[in-house]
Amino acid sequence: MKFETTVVTGDCPGCEEKTILVNIYKNYFRCINCGEDTEQKINGVIKYLKVDKKTELRASELEGFDG
């Protein structure tokens, strides 16, 4: 099993702070400040959006994901 991660800085929508975000799966990141899970969206600028149990995930995004 190969494990890779990405660490970036960004604005967390949970704690509303500029913080370090750690990649937990594809374009999903976790804030190291408050633990909020976010989804990275790139549309001219990089934005992080809150991810919760209401977030809809497409099957193609979950392919090979074990949770």
Side-chain angles (χ1 to χ4, degrees):
M1 176 180 215
K2 186 176 179 182
F3 181 75
E4 292 182 30
T5 191
T6 304
V7 177
V8 298
T9 58
D11 297 317
C12 175
C15 62
E16 299 180 347
E17 297 286 332
K18 185 149 194 94
T19 187
I20 295 173
L21 301 159
V22 179
N23 179 248
I24 54 175
Y25 181 73
K26 291 190 180 181
N27 59 334
Y28 295 92
F29 290 78
R30 181 164 291 155
C31 174
I32 66 162
N33 190 39
C34 69
E36 182 80 40
D37 290 337
T38 61
E39 180 181 8
Q40 183 186 62
K41 295 288 188 178
I42 302 173
N43 187 11
V45 296
I46 298 174
K47 297 259 184 192
Y48 296 92
L49 306 173
K50 184 176 181 177
V51 174
D52 59 19
K53 59 184 169 190
K54 295 179 183 177
T55 302
E56 290 185 35
L57 300 175
R58 291 181 293 276
S60 62
E61 293 175 323
L62 297 174
E63 186 174 305
F65 182 62
D66 293 330

